[in-house]
Structure formats: structure tokens, C-alpha cells
Amino acid sequence: MNDLTPTREQRTAALEGMGCKRKRVEDIRFTQGRGNYVDDLKLPGMLHGDFVRSPHPHARVKSINSEEALKVPGVLAVITAETLKTVNLAWMPTLAGDVQMVLADGKVLFQNQEVAFVVATDRYAADDGINKVVVEYEPLPVVIDPFKAMDADAPVLREDLAGKTAGAHGPRKHHNHIFEWSVGDKELTDAAFKKAEVTIKEMISYHRTHPSPLETCQCVCSFDKIKGELSIWGTFQAPHVIRTVVSLIAKLPEQKIHVISPDIGGGFGNKVGAYPGYICAAVASIVTGKPVKWVEDRIENLTATSFARDYHMTTEIAATKEGKVTGLRVHVLADHGAFDACADPSKWPAGFFNIVTGSYDFPVAALTVDGIYTNKAPGGVAYRCSFRVTEAAYCIERAMDILAQKLGMDPAELRLKNFIKQEQFPYHSALGWEYDSGDYHTAMKKMMESTNYAALRKEQAEKRAAFRRGETREIMGLGVSFFTEIVGAGPSKNCDILGIAMFDSCEIRMHPTGAGIARMGSKSQGQGHETTWAQIIATEIGIPADNIQVEEGNTDTAPYGLGTYGSRSTPVAGAAIAMAARKIKAKAQMIAAYKLEVHEDDLEFDIDGFRVKGLPEKYMSMKDICWAAYNSVPPGMEPGLEAVSYYDPPNMTYPFGAYLCVMDIDVDTGVYKVRRFYALDDCGTRINPMIIEGQVHGGLTEAFAIAMGQEIRYDDTGNVVTGSFMDFFMPTAVETPHWETDFTVTPSPHHPIGAKGVGESPNVGGVPAFSNAVNDAFSFLGSTHIQMPHDYWRNWRAAKELGAVA
Ligand code: CDP
């Protein structure tokens, strides 16, 4: 070894593998306007489609007249449900086992529902065309309030379900009822409540909101009549699933369908589902023989394609006087809108809401969810959330604060008293999950020390005294939140989408020069997969991350995968990468043994190659092994160096975190200031700390938006009153607080690299932290629970109702 021989540290650093703050490689094109999004695609002769939408939330469609529209220059066709019936596509199946109208068939069930699809030579002509389509409606009574949907005299929304006493998830008990889902031991839980020393009960609502990615949903469909092939470019978070669904519903052979998800400008769950725009663009292309583009505008996105939350959770906790929880009982009224189009794994009508016991050792629990129809848009997507986990975390984290208030205990102390202990992992929750690993006490204590929690509580007590003396009009709240996530859907034993197991996949091909390509079943929408997946390979096989190209989103080249949502990429696809890389490494070891003329077992892997044990100078780099794979492999071995892995995870992963929000609220104006926000996340092994930090910043910003104002609100007559960014709160850098991030590392014992997901954790943990801060601030004025969102006006109203404002 001379001075120029790189040290072990230098060799490790040169790989830019796991743990490295590698800069995002995709940002080179994104920051220079060189991204390639669906709307960038322009095909020769391409047509444009746009929707006529219903102004009514509930109405019978008496007639649709397209005569004048067809006279508009450039308008070529007006597609209605009648047109779609000729190809049996007027209705489509939903992921939740329901059916959904593609275009209004006899009636409309929510405002802005798709009624007709106008196809024209350009977007402007299509828009002129939709204004000329004459639709005659007969308005019907509307149900918007989920608590009134199951009244005996509530209007019948889904006439197509008349006489159906059961749906995909069991019996229906009312004409607007979808399903009842019960988990846990009701008898034991009721018994725990009977003998409880202390109980709390509160109806905790998580309002309807929307993921609203920067880029809306869109597609280009191009049918080649000669080859009988349909190519679809779209904003799909799960391109392979789209290919299978299109094959099943359009009865086209799957190999004749090519689905390509190019760069995607944010998904957050919005781009998981199948929407009428995709079906109409495909049918229009088949009918016209030309490519057809459909691009949603912002109002359409906010009001028609997917919503999130709308869960109304009556929550009860039983406890001892000392604050030890003894039982949890939750009933949820879940508003699914006009069709049950929730994007959940098929067997889970309320997603993974049964993670609602959270981070606490509840001996017994019982949960019932009633899904119902209302005159609102369908969707029910996991907005930066693993299938209703965000609702569950909000529910339990608010409830724990309410219990602390009733007991006169500090919310952090109450949590510490009830946490699942480190030695209890793997932990079996009362509602059926097996938590893989956790060290909650360490995380919570780190949060309390880092923020100087005790001093903040002291300051709060002083401020309260000053408020009472009339020396200040500001109240101070400390929002503690400790969440446990459940991500990595999922194990084939309990997760599938339309019968397809929720595995994920990776194919790695190493080239002779020591470079390679990894093709994935996952699909980034901005999470930085091109950067991080290469880092896993770099560490696993000792090839620099810069030498690995990552490709996602093309169903012709990528192995079948279930896509990216619910922070499943790292737990599932990330594991597939490690497993494929290990197959490469195993073959590389055989090649190295042959070249170094030793037995395989005499070799050890050393950062970027194999070394003979005890003879450090006998070494072959992975780069050289790649070359050898193409010219001098052992006799009988196939040349080449590539591997595929389809990974079926044995369990979910359970990331967790401890958050604290410090907030001041002026009671006279309701104006709040987030003074401090500290977020400690534990996502197991950290692949790229800088990307994790970015993910946490983004998720916290969304959590801030949701808790403090972002809402899809309807008036009593069913009009959406928050249908644009003028009314739907979208924070900019001006409103967004400063984020302090921190971490602990508790690896997942079953994941090949010990990693858990992280992307949605800050949304899951952030919302309760903000809401608890507001509620904590108002609690000393006598309030128990104030519903979100906590915008200025609602804060002022709360202060007034509590008598703090004259
Ligand atoms: O499924 P999705 O990509 O949205 O979520 P994720 O699995 O939480 O990953 C989000 C991003 O964070 C990816 O680029 C991951 O590689 C990265 N990540 C990481 O660096 N370390 C982890 N332990 C988890 C995620």
C-alpha cells in the first residue's frame, strides 16, 4: 500500500452507498426544465378530450343534446354513457369492489361528475364544445352530512344497488350503507369499560381534504388499429396495475397494452386510482384511431378525482386513575362519497385503520367502521398515508391528549406510561397487527430533551397565569404526538389488489464495464428513487451509485410491480433491490473464486470486491468481475451478470416518531404562530439522510396545511365551496414553519437492509401534533376538543365560544 492507495473510508465514500447524503440525480433534469411529463408528450395527429360536468350534486339526467357541440369547428365527437354502453364501458369496477359510472348513466351523484366527453383537435375547441352540450337535469334531494346519510328517510343515492342487501365487504344495513367492518374483541372491551376507573369519549372528525399534487391527473392514449395495440402514457403511481385493469375491463390482451408513467409531478395517493378520464381517452382513441390526450385542470382535480379522509371517529378510552390504559373502543362513520372507490388493498374496506391502538399497550380494543354513500366525489385515497393510518394516528393521538387532560397528567408522561416496551417487540396488537420493532421510550425522551420540554411547560404555565391576569392576549400550546406507522403493503398473506399479491420487484443487469441498470416495479413521483435505489445496490455489490441507472415506469421493460404509494417502496421494492443485488453478488463470488483460483468460501466481500481471507493482496474488484462475467466465467456457468427478485414481504414495517409543535395563538384574531416544530423520525436503516430530511419537510408541510386549514368543504346543497386554490389552503414558503428534524435508528428485523418507509410519516405524525397544539392551547379555557382544521377564523370562534373574547 502506498500513499495513493485509497483508504477503506475513501473506497466506501466513492460508492456513495447507503447512509450517504448523495445529491438527487433526477434533480439535474428537473431543475433545468428537462423533465418529461405526460403533458410534454405530443404525438402526430393527437386529439384532446375534455369533460362536460354536472353542476348538480344529485340529479336525474333527462337528456344530453350534442348537436350544437358537434358544429363547433374542431369538435369531432361527443361521447356519452350511451356510447360507452356499446363497448360495455359505461361503468367500471373500483378497487374497493364497487362499480362506478364512467359517464353519467341516468343520474349524477356528485357535483362535477363526468357527464360527457368532448373530443376535438385542440384543447380550446374541446372546451368550446363542452359549453355547447345541452344537458337537461331534474334536481334530486341531496345528502352531504354523513350523520344523516343513514336516516330512514334519506334519499336513495345508488339506485343501481336497489335490492342488494350485501356488497363486496358483507351485509348492507341501509340503502346508503356500503359496509360494516368490525375488528377486535367487543365483549372483552365492553367488560374493560364497565370496570374502568376513568373513561373518555369524544367524536373526533378528520375532515375531507385532497392530495392536490402540482401536476394533475392526465393521460395520452394511442390505439394502433393495425397492431391492435394500446399505448397509454399517464400519471400512474402503479403502471402495471393499470395495464392489468385496462386488459380486464377493455378485454384487450395484456401484452398488447403498453403503459408508461413518465416523470410525475407528485402523487400523494391521487394517482393510484383509475379515473373516467383514462377510460374515455382510451375509448376515444379506439373510436377515432388517433391519439387522445386528457389533462385535468385544477378545479377538476380538487373536486372530482379522489379525496382523502372524511372519517368521523367516536373514540373511547378506558383507563385506571394512574393513567394506565385498559381498553379502546372506536366507531367510525366513513364517508366514501358517491361510489366506493377507495384505493385500499382489496380485503381492507377501511384500509389499515386497525392500527388505531397506536404506540400504546392496549390489552383489549374493539373497532367498527361503517362506510356510507353521500353526494360527494368518490376516491378515499391514502393522501401521503398508508391506507387510513393517518386517520388512525390522529384519532388515538387526540384521544390520548383528551385522556391526559381528564386525568390532569402531562400528555408526554401519559404516553411514556403506556408505550409498548422495547422488550415486547415483536408486539401483537389487540387489533391484529404484529409490530416488527420499536424503541418508543428512547425516541420520546430524546424529543423531550432536545426541545427542553420541561422548560416549555413551565413557560406555558407562566403565560397562562399572565393571560388570566390580563397581561397578554396570547395563549400557548404544546402539541405532542407519538405515532406508529404501518407501511410496506404488503405480505401476500393479507394484501392484494384485485387478486394480485402486493409484492414488488427489481431486475439488475450489470454491463461488462462495471456499470449497470436496475429496472423497478416501483414508480417515483418525486421521492428520489433514481438516487436511493442506486445507493442500495452500491453498498450491496460495491459498484459506485453513479454507475447504476435506475429505470421505472415502463411496463414493457420493468418487472411487474404494484407501484409506489403508502410508503411501500422502501419496505417492498427496496427489499427486492437488495435481494436482486445479493443474487448478483453470489454469482460474482463464484466468478471471483474461479479467477483467483480459490474456493468460494475462502473469499470475503470487502467494500468493492472480493478478497481471499488471510491473503489481502489477492483481491478482485466488482468492476473486474463484471468484465469477467462476459468473457471468462467458470466452466458450465452461463455468461452475464443479471438477476431479478420478486419480493413478498413477510410483514409490514412499523416506523415511528416523536413530534412536538409549539404554537402561540392570539385569541382576539385567531392568528397562530408555529414557534417551533421538532420531528424525530425512526425509519430503521437510513438510505439517504438528505432525501429523508426532504421527505420529512414535505410531509410536515402537508400536515401543517391539513391541520391548519386545508379542506374540501361542501355547503348544505352539495356545492363544493373550496374548489380552487383561492379557497383550498396551499401553504407557500411564506406560511410554512421552520422544521427541526432528528432521528433514532431501530432497524426492521425482517427487511434485508433493515429499512422502513418514511415518506408519509411526517403527514401521519404531523397532523396530530398541530391539532394537539391548538387543543392544548385552548384546554385551559375549558375546552376538550376542537375539530380541525384550525384556521384563524375557527380559532377566533373557539376563543369566543370559550368566553375568552367579548
Ligand atoms: O413509497 P415511497 O417512495 O413514497 O416512500 P418511502 O419508501 O418512504 O421512500 C421515500 C424516499 O425516502 C425514497 O427515496 C427512499 O429511498 C428514501 N428512504 C430512505 O432513504 N431511507 C429509508 N429508511 C426510507 C426511505
Side-chain angles (χ1 to χ4, degrees):
M1 187 153 144
N2 60 40
D3 285 350
L4 295 176
T5 309
T7 61
R8 291 181 63 76
E9 288 71 29
Q10 285 168 332
R11 281 163 57 210
T12 304
L15 296 178
E16 293 196 290
M18 286 195 277
C20 169
K21 291 184 180 176
R22 183 173 186 232
K23 284 194 179 159
R24 288 168 43 109
V25 291
E26 43 275 86
D27 286 355
I28 297 167
R29 65 176 190 279
F30 292 157
T31 53
Q32 297 184 45
R34 293 298 176 95
N36 178 31
Y37 297 89
V38 173
D39 202 28
D40 292 323
L41 188 70
K42 291 177 181 62
L43 297 179
M46 190 169 74
L47 306 176
H48 298 257
D50 207 349
F51 282 112
V52 175
R53 292 180 181 272
S54 168
H56 299 278
H58 194 197
R60 219 163 282 294
V61 177
K62 309 271 283 182
S63 64
I64 303 174
N65 188 334
S66 313
E67 252 172 64
E68 291 303 310
L70 287 166
K71 289 182 194 158
V72 173
V75 171
L76 301 176
V78 177
I79 293 173
T80 64
E82 296 311 311
T83 329
L84 295 180
K85 278 180 190 167
T86 62
V87 282
N88 210 16
L89 284 174
W91 291 69
M92 61 180 182
T94 70
L95 291 175
D98 195 1
V99 285
Q100 176 178 351
M101 287 177 210
V102 174
L103 291 170
D105 184 16
K107 84 194 271 208
V108 287
L109 288 158
F110 64 95
Q111 192 181 51
N112 274 358
Q113 185 177 335
E114 300 82 357
V115 175
F117 191 65
V118 176
V119 186
T121 46
D122 63 63
R123 180 99 200 242
Y124 302 98
D127 205 38
D128 289 346
I130 61 175
N131 291 322
K132 295 281 181 191
V133 175
V134 181
V135 186
E136 198 190 337
Y137 297 98
E138 178 192 310
L140 295 168
V142 169
V143 186
I144 291 300
D145 181 350
F147 290 93
K148 294 186 180 151
M150 287 209 286
D151 286 355
D153 59 350
V156 178
L157 305 191
R158 293 290 300 276
E159 288 165 3
D160 59 300
L161 300 180
K164 286 206 173 154
T165 52
H169 300 289
R172 300 172 63 219
K173 49 192 183 197
H174 181 274
H175 51 259
N176 293 331
H177 186 238
I178 310 173
F179 63 83
E180 180 186 291
W181 186 55
S182 292
V183 203
D185 193 321
K186 191 172 174 321
E187 268 177 41
L188 280 181
T189 308
D190 290 348
F193 273 86
K194 267 201 193 108
K195 55 177 193 240
E197 291 167 353
V198 182
T199 59
I200 60 124
K201 181 172 185 177
E202 191 65 51
M203 209 290 289
I204 299 168
S205 269
Y206 199 141
H207 56 284
R208 182 172 270 240
T209 183
H210 193 283
S212 48
L214 199 58
E215 178 201 35
T216 59
C217 298
Q218 36 201 279
C219 69
V220 176
C221 296
S222 180
F223 186 67
D224 183 326
K225 279 192 176 161
I226 310 293
K227 293 187 190 161
E229 294 187 7
L230 179 64
S231 299
I232 310 175
W233 291 260
T235 47
F236 308 129
Q237 293 182 226
H240 281 98
V241 178
I242 293 285
R243 187 183 72 187
T244 303
V245 169
V246 171
S247 172
L248 292 174
I249 64 178
K251 308 270 182 298
L252 280 172
E254 202 168 347
Q255 82 279 12
K256 300 260 183 193
I257 304 168
H258 315 284
V259 178
I260 299 130
S261 293
D263 288 329
I264 297 184
F268 314 114
N270 187 200
K271 294 164 179 172
V272 172
Y275 298 120
Y278 307 155
I279 308 282
C280 289
V283 170
S285 178
I286 292 168
V287 170
T288 61
K290 300 247 172 88
V292 176
K293 181 183 270 188
W294 169 69
V295 175
E296 219 184 20
D297 69 21
R298 181 59 59 192
I299 293 176
E300 293 177 305
N301 180 258
L302 281 173
T303 58
T305 45
S306 81
F307 73 92
R309 325 302 193 222
D310 220 341
Y311 259 36
H312 308 278
M313 308 169 287
T314 304
T315 312
E316 297 171 85
I317 296 181
T320 65
K321 283 198 297 278
E322 290 73 37
K324 191 90 188 83
V325 296
T326 55
L328 176 71
R329 201 158 51 191
V330 182
H331 176 265
V332 180
L333 196 59
D335 186 342
H336 286 210
F339 306 98
D340 186 11
C342 284
D344 290 318
S346 299
K347 293 187 198 84
W348 300 87
F352 303 152
F353 188 84
N354 54 329
I355 191 79
V356 69
T357 50
S359 315
Y360 313 106
D361 189 14
F362 278 98
V364 290
L367 161 70
T368 302
V369 183
D370 276 304
I372 48 146
Y373 293 120
T374 58
N375 289 117
K376 298 180 189 166
V381 300
Y383 171 6
R384 209 172 186 141
C385 157
S386 187
F387 312 116
R388 304 294 186 179
V389 176
T390 312
E391 290 89 327
Y394 182 63
C395 175
I396 189 64
E397 288 307 289
R398 269 305 299 130
M400 287 302 275
D401 261 31
I402 293 167
L403 177 64
Q405 189 183 348
K406 181 148 187 184
L407 290 165
M409 271 180 86
D410 182 274
E413 291 305 326
L414 178 72
R415 284 169 171 82
L416 282 165
K417 188 166 207 148
N418 288 290
F419 277 153
I420 300 160
K421 297 186 183 71
Q422 201 186 359
E423 59 273 18
Q424 286 176 277
F425 291 93
Y427 172 80
H428 292 264
S429 78
L431 293 179
W433 293 112
E434 185 189 303
Y435 293 24
D436 60 349
S437 62
D439 182 358
Y440 300 165
H441 288 86
T442 302
M444 188 70 157
K445 286 186 174 147
K446 190 170 184 193
M447 179 279 272
M448 291 169 79
E449 276 160 28
S450 308
T451 56
N452 207 349
Y453 182 77
L456 286 167
R457 280 287 176 210
K458 197 160 164 275
E459 184 193 340
Q460 184 187 41
E462 283 160 9
K463 273 202 132 183
R464 284 177 173 179
F467 185 89
R468 285 200 188 94
R469 290 194 300 269
E471 290 163 15
T472 176
R473 298 296 289 156
E474 240 181 27
I475 53 176
M476 174 180 170
L478 295 184
V480 178
S481 147
F482 196 101
F483 65 93
T484 293
E485 262 261 67
I486 170 172
V487 299
S492 60
K493 61 184 180 221
N494 52 18
C495 286
D496 71 274
I497 288 188
L498 303 174
I500 305 164
M502 293 184 73
F503 57 84
D504 228 293
S505 59
C506 169
E507 179 204 89
I508 303 175
R509 266 186 213 175
M510 296 308 299
H511 309 319
T513 55
I517 182 164
R519 291 189 163 122
M520 307 292 308
S522 53
K523 174 62 200 150
S524 180
Q525 306 115 46
Q527 295 93 327
H529 292 176
E530 287 169 50
T531 307
T532 49
W533 296 163
Q535 290 182 257
I536 299 176
I537 298 172
T539 298
E540 287 289 338
I541 68 170
I543 289 287
D546 273 349
N547 289 11
I548 305 292
Q549 185 183 338
V550 173
E551 202 181 271
E552 296 182 318
N554 185 335
T555 55
D556 282 348
T557 52
Y560 202 107
L562 274 281
T564 290
Y565 37 87
S567 283
R568 68 184 297 276
S569 301
T570 302
V572 193
I577 300 167
M579 298 310 270
R582 286 173 194 184
K583 289 183 189 175
I584 298 265
K585 194 167 159 185
K587 184 171 179 182
Q589 186 164 357
M590 288 190 251
I591 297 170
Y594 173 67
K595 297 292 286 179
L596 294 169
E597 298 177 339
V598 292
H599 190 273
E600 275 166 60
D601 294 346
D602 294 331
L603 290 178
E604 61 190 358
F605 190 70
D606 180 23
I607 302 173
D608 47 15
F610 283 97
R611 203 175 288 286
V612 179
K613 291 177 195 162
L615 287 174
E617 68 284 359
K618 285 199 89 178
Y619 163 85
M620 190 170 184
S621 71
M622 272 305 283
K623 187 169 188 280
D624 291 343
I625 297 171
C626 288
W627 187 262
Y630 289 87
N631 61 33
S632 52
V633 293
M637 179 187 271
E638 287 180 14
L641 195 54
E642 55 186 72
V644 187
S645 170
Y646 284 82
Y647 188 80
D648 181 7
N651 191 3
M652 308 279 184
T653 66
Y654 296 75
F656 56 92
Y659 290 3
L660 183 74
C661 174
V662 185
M663 194 184 291
D664 298 307
I665 304 172
D666 181 314
V667 291
D668 292 320
T669 58
V671 172
Y672 58 80
K673 280 194 290 276
V674 178
R675 202 199 305 172
R676 220 176 146 184
F677 197 104
Y678 170 93
L680 178 149
D681 273 279
D682 191 319
C683 57
T685 305
R686 291 152 57 86
I687 303 164
N688 184 327
M690 189 159 63
I691 286 196
I692 292 174
E693 199 179 357
Q695 292 284 307
V696 174
H697 283 195
L700 288 177
T701 306
E702 286 176 325
F704 166 67
I706 295 168
M708 306 313 286
Q710 190 175 83
E711 182 183 23
I712 295 289
R713 201 165 62 247
Y714 291 78
D715 68 16
D716 292 343
T717 62
N719 288 309
V720 188
V721 293
T722 53
S724 82
F725 282 167
M726 293 297 287
D727 308 296
F728 185 81
F729 178 42
M730 184 54 65
T732 65
V734 175
E735 297 90 8
T736 303
H738 173 74
W739 310 120
E740 293 169 53
T741 59
D742 205 345
F743 64 96
T744 52
V745 176
T746 312
S748 166
H750 61 80
H751 189 283
I753 58 167
K756 305 178 179 186
V758 75
E760 63 200 29
S761 292
N763 194 324
V764 172
V767 172
F770 286 110
S771 185
N772 280 346
V774 174
N775 276 288
D776 184 58
F778 280 109
S779 64
F780 91 111
L781 297 175
S783 95
T784 309
H785 176 66
I786 301 164
Q787 304 286 8
M788 286 193 294
H790 306 291
D791 52 36
Y792 296 162
W793 184 78
R794 283 179 172 99
N795 287 343
W796 173 83
R797 190 183 60 182
K800 189 161 173 62
E801 281 170 4
L802 292 165
V805 178

